[in-house]
Amino acid sequence: MRLRSRSALALVAVCATCFAGPLRAEDGAAAAAHGLDDLLEAFQAMPGFSARFEEEKTIALLARPLRSRGSIYFAPPRLLVRRVEGPVPSLLELDADQLRYSDASGTERFDLGANPTARVFAHTFTDVLAGDLPRLRTTYHIAFTESSDESDGWRIQLTPRDAGLARAIESMTVRGHGLVLIDLVVREGSGDATVTRFSDVDPKRHFEESDIAQLRRPPSP
Amino acid sequence: MTGRGRVAATAVGLVLVAGFCAVRFEATTDITDFLDAPGSAMEGALSRRLSRSEATRTMVLSVAAPDLALALETSAQLAASLRRDPVVAWVSSGPDPDLPQTLETLYFEHRYQLLSSDPETSLPPRFDDRGLSEAAAALKRALAGPLAPLVRGVAAADPLLAFPGLLRRLQRASSPALALRDGRFVSPDGGSAIVFVGTAYPALDSEHHAPLLARLEQDFAALDAAAGGVLELEMSAVQRFAVRAATAMRADVTRIGILSAIGIAVLFVVVFRSVRLIGVASLPLVAGLLCGLAACLLVYGRINALTLAFGGALVGVVIDYPIHLLAHWLLEDDTPDASGALRRVWPGIRLGAATSFVGFAALAAAGFPGIREIGIFAGAGIAGAVVVTASALPFLVPARRASGTTAERVAGALSSGIAWLTRHRAAAAAVPAVALLVCALGLPGLRFTDDVKALSPVDPELVAEEGRVRDRVLGTETSQVVIALGRDDEDALARNDRVAGLLAELVAEGALEEFRSLHDFVWSAALQRRNEDVVRSQPDLGPRFVAALAREGFKPGAFEPFLASLDARPPPLRLDDLTGSALGHWIRPFVLPRDTREGPVESRVALVTLLRGVSDPARLAAGLSQIDGAVFFDQLALLEAGYRSLRRAAGIMIGLGIVAVLLLLWLHYRSLSDTAVALVPALLAAGTTAALISLGGGALNLVHLFGLLLILGMGVDYGVFLAETARQGESVGATALGLVLSCTTSVLGLGLLALSSNPGLRALGATTAIGVISSLLLGPAVLAILSRPDRGSPAA
């Protein structure tokens, strides 16, 4: 049992839910032709990001998968907000190394700095949306495939370089089209898997201060 | 024995004493030696242990920069440099990367033993059917939350989520006020990088910490210069106060020492036309200091630095002996050599030394170990000085004397002056009258202060910086603690469990803001077993919980590890398991160092709980009184109380010393007037000094009292020499010259300390200077008033 790996896994799962979404033709055409570098450069130029998601966690302990739905928001440089609307409302906020989780039972704060491994995974998401390719390459082997047919989009598969992490997280696979994410699949070493599908993706979302304050409001009990 | 033989024997003796001191020398700066009031041995011993604890040895560095990355980079370089320093025991700039594994190894198997501080009450509701259903639902929620992978990893063996709960408690306890960036400690506002540094020596050991702090400042200055001068380093470190005080005192003593040496050299050249005689005159003082030191090393095995300072000052009284000897040798033609001069002044030296010995040795009867030590030092010092004065000094003085010297002219003038006063007693009476008037005006308003800060210079900027860093990082006041004492770890932990329970109640009641306790990390074996027993006593806990889990959609067969864990009976987690682990830095500050060789308090296990915001001390005290072996400890309050007791005890001992001196003088003289000549000037001088300090708006502290004791010692010496001279019907010129020289030497040697920046040294210097000058003025005046006509004029 390795807590570091477990914490890392948790954050991977959190990050993973932030990707994907349906294709928009006008965004996909530009990015698909320029490979990974160009794709991440395009992410870097994003003013913000929002999407709806549906998530399905297949866990060995449970007879049936856990499902949830909600919205996800990213405001550069490092703020990620994930609102789960059902079946159990919750709010997750990741700002640099500070993670805040609120649900009907209250709010808990976690400092990711206490766990370097967890921190690396947590920042994977923001690194992708911020287009920080060097940091991603430090942590992962990256396999990037792009269909010659623009309508099929691209696929990034991240495999941890560290053997210890690799035992916990087998792989993370993101699919998208242009700046629009389609889905994310996280496969864990234990055999558990989380699939997150995105919809209503807006890669040009701009957040005012008031928007961010609104996003950070905890769910009603 | 010939003179040369006596000198040789004395030299051999002094070399042996010096050799003994060199071999056995061991000094301590432990101020608690002076605070162990009779009846407060436990507080004193605990205070001593606190002063040596890892908590006080830990320095906190806070590095600020325009951006945090630069602050972190700077702090990393400082940390790397500190790790190479031999004075540094450990450096921590962030959590150990292996901490998660360490926590799992240490705590996972003990998760059921560390469930609740009150297991019999709080656990049964968690384990009834409703509680288990809630636990199953909580597990499902947790699997969808941010810590889902952590939960998934332990859920099969720990579906009650006991271990994640334990981790949250540990996280809160280990670094409550700190945030982390890149795995490194930063202040909660994210503006400063934080580094903890543990040193290998007690915090007050300035000898080791001065170079460390100098290197640290040098390293930081270089980094700051490289960064363009934008960095800021702040510290919380007891070591810095100790080093700052020691450095300032050393600088003062050096500066003033040079001034004193020059002044005394000029004085000897002018009066005796000899520099060599400075060495001769210094010999009794050197011998006195060596004998005092040797006596303390013999009795205690070590000496306190404060004893060296105060005891050394008291032994300074012996400078009178060689000076009177030299004055008589120089001026009196009927003394063919210095041996003859010694015979002339010996009665005065003998009686003066006896009175000083009695007065100072009275301190040895004090209940405070530190005061007792000073008494022993001073008593042995005076004895040693007298022996050397009598045995060797006359044979070191050159046979030839200068004639027509300044000394003769001064002695003549003094002699005439005293003769004039004897003829005009009303004029002579004016001197003590003025002294009495000053006493009458000043003594009624005399105040004492027990503010410890009055003794040592505390830079307000340093205090403010210390406060800022502590607020930023620690969030607790280390001066207010609760200590749980026990005969062994288990006994102390059991009491600590009860203390933690009480403090939790006080926090809930608002009587206490917060506390940090070892209870967050480990409980007594008894409490751990109680938890285990409650868990195992629940009927069908395993099957009932698995059924509840199944109702929430879990696969029943997945929880075999949980069912197996309910049958395991691991040994309880022990304190030793933690202190030797990677958690040791967090644990050791809660455990006071133990010394089984010392007293019963030192040999007991003592666990510290740090408090913040005690708003109802009475409630706290009442609660702790119900817990045997638990003590509320306010270090600042204790320091002031101890200091107050010390000052009072010193005052009483000085009073008793005066009575003893009075008796001794009376037994020697059997004459009221002679006794008065010997004693009254000293008493009036001490009173005048105290009154002048009071009239100047000052309050007397402990150092003033020692200064007054020194004045009494010197003043009685002055009086005795005058009385002996009068009794023998000799010319008072040589004696008066001796008094002037002694007074001048004392003012140059000790009085100049009044120029010091250190309040303690300043107090000692000012008291001594005022006192000896007063004694010098009062002695001849009282002699003139009380001289008996049957002996003729003292100046005849």
Coordinates of all heavy atoms in Angstrom, one line a residue, chain B residues 540-580:
Chain B
D540 N -20.8 -9.1 16.3 CA -20.9 -9.3 14.9 C -20.5 -8.1 14.1 O -21.2 -7.8 13.1 CB -22.3 -9.8 14.5 CG -22.6 -11.1 15.2 OD1 -21.7 -12.0 15.3 OD2 -23.8 -11.3 15.6
L541 N -19.6 -7.3 14.5 CA -19.2 -6.1 13.9 C -18.9 -6.3 12.4 O -19.4 -5.6 11.5 CB -18.1 -5.4 14.6 CG -17.5 -4.1 13.9 CD1 -18.6 -3.0 13.9 CD2 -16.3 -3.6 14.6
G542 N -18.1 -7.3 12.1 CA -17.6 -7.5 10.8 C -18.8 -7.9 9.9 O -19.1 -7.2 8.9
P543 N -19.6 -8.9 10.2 CA -20.7 -9.3 9.3 C -21.7 -8.2 9.2 O -22.3 -8.0 8.1 CB -21.3 -10.5 10.0 CG -20.2 -11.1 10.8 CD -19.3 -9.9 11.2
R544 N -22.0 -7.5 10.3 CA -23.0 -6.4 10.2 C -22.6 -5.3 9.2 O -23.4 -4.8 8.5 CB -23.3 -5.9 11.6 CG -24.2 -6.8 12.4 CD -24.7 -6.1 13.7 NE -23.6 -5.7 14.6 CZ -23.3 -4.5 14.9 NH1 -24.1 -3.5 14.4 NH2 -22.4 -4.2 15.8
F545 N -21.3 -5.0 9.3 CA -20.8 -3.9 8.5 C -20.7 -4.3 7.0 O -21.1 -3.5 6.1 CB -19.4 -3.4 9.0 CG -19.0 -2.1 8.3 CD1 -19.9 -1.1 8.0 CD2 -17.7 -1.8 8.1 CE1 -19.5 0.1 7.4 CE2 -17.2 -0.7 7.5 CZ -18.2 0.3 7.2
V546 N -20.3 -5.5 6.8 CA -20.3 -6.0 5.4 C -21.7 -6.0 4.8 O -21.9 -5.6 3.6 CB -19.7 -7.4 5.3 CG1 -19.8 -8.0 4.0 CG2 -18.2 -7.4 5.7
A547 N -22.7 -6.4 5.6 CA -24.1 -6.3 5.2 C -24.5 -4.9 4.8 O -25.1 -4.6 3.8 CB -25.0 -6.9 6.2
A548 N -24.1 -4.0 5.7 CA -24.4 -2.6 5.4 C -23.8 -2.1 4.2 O -24.3 -1.3 3.4 CB -24.0 -1.7 6.6
L549 N -22.5 -2.5 3.9 CA -21.8 -2.2 2.7 C -22.5 -2.7 1.5 O -22.6 -2.1 0.4 CB -20.4 -2.7 2.8 CG -19.5 -2.0 3.8 CD1 -18.2 -2.8 4.1 CD2 -19.1 -0.6 3.3
A550 N -23.0 -3.9 1.6 CA -23.7 -4.6 0.5 C -24.9 -3.8 0.1 O -25.3 -3.6 -1.0 CB -24.0 -6.0 0.8
R551 N -25.6 -3.3 1.2 CA -26.8 -2.5 0.9 C -26.5 -1.2 0.2 O -27.3 -0.7 -0.5 CB -27.5 -2.2 2.2 CG -28.3 -3.4 2.9 CD -29.2 -2.9 4.0 NE -28.5 -2.3 5.1 CZ -28.0 -3.0 6.1 NH1 -28.0 -4.3 6.1 NH2 -27.4 -2.4 7.1
E552 N -25.3 -0.7 0.3 CA -24.9 0.5 -0.4 C -24.3 0.2 -1.8 O -23.8 1.1 -2.5 CB -23.8 1.2 0.4 CG -24.3 2.1 1.5 CD -25.1 3.3 1.1 OE1 -24.8 3.8 -0.1 OE2 -26.0 3.8 1.8
G553 N -24.3 -1.1 -2.2 CA -23.9 -1.5 -3.5 C -22.4 -2.0 -3.6 O -21.9 -2.2 -4.7
F554 N -21.8 -2.2 -2.4 CA -20.5 -2.8 -2.4 C -20.6 -4.3 -2.6 O -21.6 -5.0 -2.2 CB -19.8 -2.5 -1.1 CG -19.3 -1.0 -1.0 CD1 -20.1 -0.1 -0.4 CD2 -18.2 -0.6 -1.6 CE1 -19.8 1.2 -0.3 CE2 -17.8 0.7 -1.5 CZ -18.6 1.7 -0.8
K555 N -19.5 -4.9 -3.1 CA -19.4 -6.4 -3.2 C -19.0 -6.9 -1.8 O -17.9 -6.6 -1.4 CB -18.3 -6.8 -4.2 CG -18.7 -6.3 -5.7 CD -17.5 -6.6 -6.6 CE -17.7 -6.1 -8.0 NZ -16.5 -6.1 -8.8
P556 N -19.8 -7.8 -1.2 CA -19.5 -8.3 0.1 C -18.2 -9.0 0.2 O -17.4 -8.9 1.1 CB -20.6 -9.2 0.4 CG -21.7 -8.8 -0.5 CD -21.1 -8.3 -1.7
G557 N -17.8 -9.7 -0.9 CA -16.6 -10.6 -0.8 C -15.3 -9.7 -0.9 O -14.2 -10.3 -0.7
A558 N -15.5 -8.4 -1.1 CA -14.2 -7.6 -1.3 C -13.6 -7.2 0.1 O -12.6 -6.6 0.1 CB -14.6 -6.3 -2.1
F559 N -14.4 -7.5 1.2 CA -13.9 -7.0 2.5 C -13.3 -8.0 3.4 O -13.3 -7.9 4.6 CB -15.1 -6.2 3.1 CG -15.5 -5.0 2.4 CD1 -16.6 -5.1 1.5 CD2 -14.8 -3.8 2.5 CE1 -17.0 -4.0 0.7 CE2 -15.2 -2.7 1.7 CZ -16.2 -2.8 0.9
E560 N -12.8 -9.1 2.8 CA -12.1 -10.1 3.6 C -11.0 -9.5 4.5 O -10.8 -9.9 5.6 CB -11.6 -11.2 2.7 CG -12.7 -12.2 2.2 CD -13.5 -12.8 3.3 OE1 -12.9 -13.1 4.3 OE2 -14.7 -13.0 3.1
P561 N -10.1 -8.6 3.9 CA -9.1 -8.0 4.7 C -9.6 -7.3 5.9 O -9.0 -7.3 7.0 CB -8.4 -7.0 3.7 CG -8.7 -7.6 2.3 CD -10.1 -8.2 2.5
F562 N -10.8 -6.7 5.8 CA -11.3 -6.0 6.9 C -11.7 -7.0 8.0 O -11.4 -6.8 9.2 CB -12.6 -5.2 6.5 CG -13.5 -4.7 7.6 CD1 -13.0 -3.9 8.6 CD2 -14.8 -5.2 7.7 CE1 -13.8 -3.5 9.6 CE2 -15.6 -4.8 8.8 CZ -15.1 -4.0 9.7
L563 N -12.4 -8.1 7.6 CA -12.8 -9.1 8.6 C -11.6 -9.7 9.3 O -11.6 -9.9 10.5 CB -13.6 -10.2 7.9 CG -14.9 -9.7 7.3 CD1 -15.6 -10.8 6.5 CD2 -15.9 -9.2 8.4
A564 N -10.5 -9.9 8.5 CA -9.3 -10.4 9.1 C -8.7 -9.4 10.1 O -8.1 -9.8 11.2 CB -8.3 -10.8 8.0
S565 N -8.7 -8.1 9.8 CA -8.1 -7.1 10.6 C -8.7 -7.1 12.0 O -8.1 -6.6 13.0 CB -8.1 -5.8 10.0 OG -9.4 -5.2 10.0
L566 N -10.0 -7.4 12.1 CA -10.7 -7.4 13.4 C -10.2 -8.4 14.4 O -10.3 -8.3 15.6 CB -12.2 -7.6 13.2 CG -12.9 -6.4 12.5 CD1 -14.4 -6.8 12.2 CD2 -12.8 -5.1 13.3
D567 N -9.5 -9.4 13.8 CA -8.9 -10.4 14.7 C -7.5 -10.2 15.1 O -7.0 -10.8 16.0 CB -9.0 -11.8 14.0 CG -10.5 -12.3 13.8 OD1 -11.3 -11.9 14.7 OD2 -10.8 -12.9 12.8
A568 N -6.9 -9.2 14.4 CA -5.5 -8.9 14.7 C -5.3 -8.2 16.0 O -6.2 -7.4 16.4 CB -4.8 -8.1 13.6
R569 N -4.3 -8.4 16.8 CA -4.0 -7.7 18.0 C -2.6 -7.2 18.0 O -1.7 -7.8 18.7 CB -4.3 -8.6 19.2 CG -5.7 -8.9 19.5 CD -5.9 -9.6 20.8 NE -5.9 -8.6 21.9 CZ -6.9 -8.0 22.3 NH1 -8.1 -8.1 21.8 NH2 -6.8 -7.1 23.3
P570 N -2.3 -6.1 17.3 CA -0.9 -5.6 17.2 C -0.6 -5.0 18.6 O -1.5 -4.5 19.3 CB -1.0 -4.6 16.1 CG -2.4 -4.1 16.1 CD -3.2 -5.3 16.5
P571 N 0.7 -5.0 18.9 CA 1.1 -4.3 20.2 C 0.8 -2.8 20.0 O 0.9 -2.3 18.9 CB 2.6 -4.5 20.3 CG 3.0 -4.9 18.9 CD 1.9 -5.5 18.2
P572 N 0.5 -2.1 21.1 CA 0.2 -0.7 21.0 C 1.4 0.1 20.4 O 2.5 -0.3 20.6 CB -0.1 -0.2 22.4 CG -0.4 -1.5 23.1 CD 0.4 -2.6 22.5
L573 N 1.0 1.3 19.8 CA 2.1 2.2 19.3 C 2.8 2.8 20.5 O 2.2 3.2 21.4 CB 1.4 3.3 18.4 CG 2.4 4.3 17.8 CD1 3.2 3.7 16.8 CD2 1.5 5.4 17.2
R574 N 4.1 2.8 20.4 CA 4.9 3.3 21.6 C 5.5 4.7 21.2 O 5.8 4.9 20.0 CB 6.0 2.3 22.0 CG 5.5 1.0 22.5 CD 6.7 0.1 22.7 NE 7.5 0.0 21.5 CZ 8.9 0.0 21.6 NH1 9.5 0.1 22.7 NH2 9.6 0.0 20.4
L575 N 5.8 5.5 22.2 CA 6.5 6.7 22.0 C 7.8 6.6 21.3 O 8.2 7.3 20.4 CB 6.7 7.4 23.4 CG 7.3 8.8 23.4 CD1 6.6 9.8 22.5 CD2 7.4 9.4 24.8
D576 N 8.6 5.5 21.7 CA 9.9 5.3 21.1 C 9.7 5.0 19.6 O 10.7 5.2 18.8 CB 10.6 4.1 21.8 CG 11.2 4.5 23.1 OD1 11.2 5.7 23.4 OD2 11.6 3.6 23.9
D577 N 8.6 4.4 19.2 CA 8.4 4.1 17.8 C 8.5 5.4 17.0 O 8.9 5.4 15.8 CB 7.1 3.4 17.5 CG 7.0 2.0 18.2 OD1 8.1 1.4 18.4 OD2 5.9 1.6 18.5
L578 N 8.0 6.5 17.6 CA 7.8 7.7 16.9 C 9.1 8.6 16.9 O 9.5 9.2 15.9 CB 6.7 8.5 17.4 CG 5.3 7.9 17.3 CD1 4.3 8.8 17.9 CD2 5.0 7.6 15.9
T579 N 9.7 8.6 18.1 CA 10.9 9.5 18.3 C 12.0 9.1 17.4 O 12.8 10.0 16.9 CB 11.4 9.6 19.7 OG1 11.5 8.2 20.2 CG2 10.4 10.3 20.6
G580 N 12.2 7.8 17.1 CA 13.2 7.4 16.2 C 12.9 7.4 14.8 O 13.7 7.0 13.9

